[in-house]
Amino acid sequence: GGNPDRDGFVTLDACIMDEKYNCGSVAFLQKIKNPISVARKVMDMTPHVMLVGEGAYQFALENGFEAESGNLSDDAKNEYQKWLRTSEYKPVMNIEHKQSGFQSQSAPAKLNSGEINHDTMGIIALDDHGDLSGSCTTSGMGFKMHGRVGDSPIIGGGLYVDNEIGAATSSGQGEEVIRICGTHLVVEMMRMGKNPEEACKIAIERLLKINPEKANEFQVGFLALNKNGEHGAYSMHPGFTYSMTDNDSGGIVIKANSHFSI
Ligand code: ASP
């Protein structure tokens, strides 16, 4: 269902990290439905952290994953056809509040798939034993260059877990997150005493500082959870929301504060 790259291929990135600094990652993986499960196998079954492309695909097949056809979903096919009319190569991440359906006081309404140029699923968790873990998975930026890999499979980029301190994940323009080792930075800020939202805000401010002119054009959001179960997020632009589930709530959607306002 993810949007393809500009050559029409869906390529997937994912990583996973547990409370003992074990981690696994796959990037530029094609025709396998659940890349995060392959990342988990890399973590559990190999001495490595990261497998990419054809090697990751072969590893997946050897470990019982089934090859999919690689055909696009109807929605993705339509969006790709639309994109091909101009074939404009503009790898800019959408900014949620600029899309139709966004209401400032609530979670964004459902968007058509073509309005969504990114779709990272980042999950960070604290279990009953007080241990932290996380995962991050995506088809990446729609209509990206073939071979392009974002932040989502990069440990310290799209995901970082330090069981002494906290965990963080990110969504949005991966190039910007990689530039500052974004989630590692967020965790280190929590180590220095910042609460999760403050730590995420510092990472966003770092992006602003290094690139003040461009910051208006891209969206990045960070989400963090500390060892005490406190959570928070902060994004460059409004519209970044996250879902929180604990023993008392069946899942609530929380709107992150952002640097820019509408
Ligand atoms: N962070 C992802 C990437 O750059 C995009 C997304 O948010 O899905 O590939």
Side-chain angles (χ1 to χ4, degrees):
N3 279 330
D5 64 19
R6 61 181 179 172
D7 295 333
F9 302 103
V10 176
T11 72
L12 304 169
D13 301 335
C15 74
I16 188 165
M17 189 161 185
D18 74 9
E19 77 280 8
K20 293 182 177 148
Y21 304 91
N22 295 313
C23 33
S25 161
V26 290
F28 192 50
L29 175 63
Q30 296 178 62
K31 295 187 184 171
I32 297 290
K33 204 168 184 177
N34 300 116
I36 193 64
S37 302
V38 186
R40 169 100 201 210
K41 285 269 184 222
V42 173
M43 176 173 89
D44 289 344
M45 315 273 297
T46 80
H48 308 302
V49 167
M50 193 165 194
L51 292 178
V52 304
E54 182 63 21
Y57 177 69
Q58 289 305 331
F59 172 79
L61 296 183
E62 282 158 22
N63 281 280
F65 292 83
E66 281 182 21
E68 303 284 323
S69 67
N71 292 341
L72 303 182
S73 68
D74 288 344
D75 276 354
K77 210 182 293 170
N78 286 342
E79 292 313 318
Y80 183 50
Q81 294 302 335
K82 253 191 247 167
W83 178 81
L84 281 177
R85 278 180 220 144
T86 52
S87 300
E88 190 182 11
Y89 188 54
K90 217 164 91 179
V92 171
M93 216 33 85
N94 55 277
I95 296 170
E96 288 84 348
H97 75 88
K98 290 187 178 167
Q99 297 166 327
S100 59
F102 179 75
Q103 296 155 340
S104 60
Q105 291 312 311
S106 63
K110 194 173 180 311
L111 302 168
N112 297 322
S113 67
E115 292 175 282
I116 301 173
N117 195 22
H118 66 114
D119 59 2
T120 296
M121 298 294 299
I123 300 173
I124 42 183
L126 181 67
D127 70 15
D128 273 354
H129 307 289
D131 286 329
L132 291 157
S133 58
S135 67
C136 185
T137 177
T138 188
S139 58
M141 190 189 293
F143 320 122
K144 60 195 174 186
M145 189 183 283
H146 190 58
R148 179 266 185 189
V149 170
D151 59 323
S152 305
I154 309 290
I155 298 295
L159 176 75
Y160 197 68
V161 178
D162 185 323
N163 201 36
E164 275 184 11
I165 305 296
T169 187
S170 65
S171 182
Q173 182 106 13
E175 284 73 6
E176 302 305 324
V177 176
I178 291 171
R179 234 182 274 295
I180 60 165
C181 299
T183 54
H184 185 262
L185 174 62
V186 171
V187 170
E188 291 307 300
M189 288 301 117
M190 291 194 283
R191 190 190 306 281
M192 291 172 76
K194 304 295 177 192
N195 70 36
E197 180 176 339
E198 286 166 351
C200 293
K201 188 172 180 208
I202 287 169
I204 291 292
E205 283 166 353
R206 182 76 58 86
L207 289 176
L208 275 157
K209 189 174 166 202
I210 62 177
N211 222 333
E213 293 88 29
K214 232 176 82 186
N216 198 28
E217 293 169 13
F218 64 80
Q219 174 66 310
V220 166
F222 290 105
L223 169 62
L225 172 67
N226 68 17
K227 196 72 180 160
N228 302 324
E230 295 158 338
H231 50 89
Y234 200 83
S235 58
M236 186 67 82
H237 292 274
F240 184 67
T241 58
Y242 68 97
S243 172
M244 194 283 297
T245 301
D246 62 17
N247 288 340
D248 307 318
S249 77
I252 52 172
V253 175
I254 299 171
K255 191 161 140 291
N257 288 320
S258 57
H259 174 77
F260 291 104
S261 50
I262 293 179

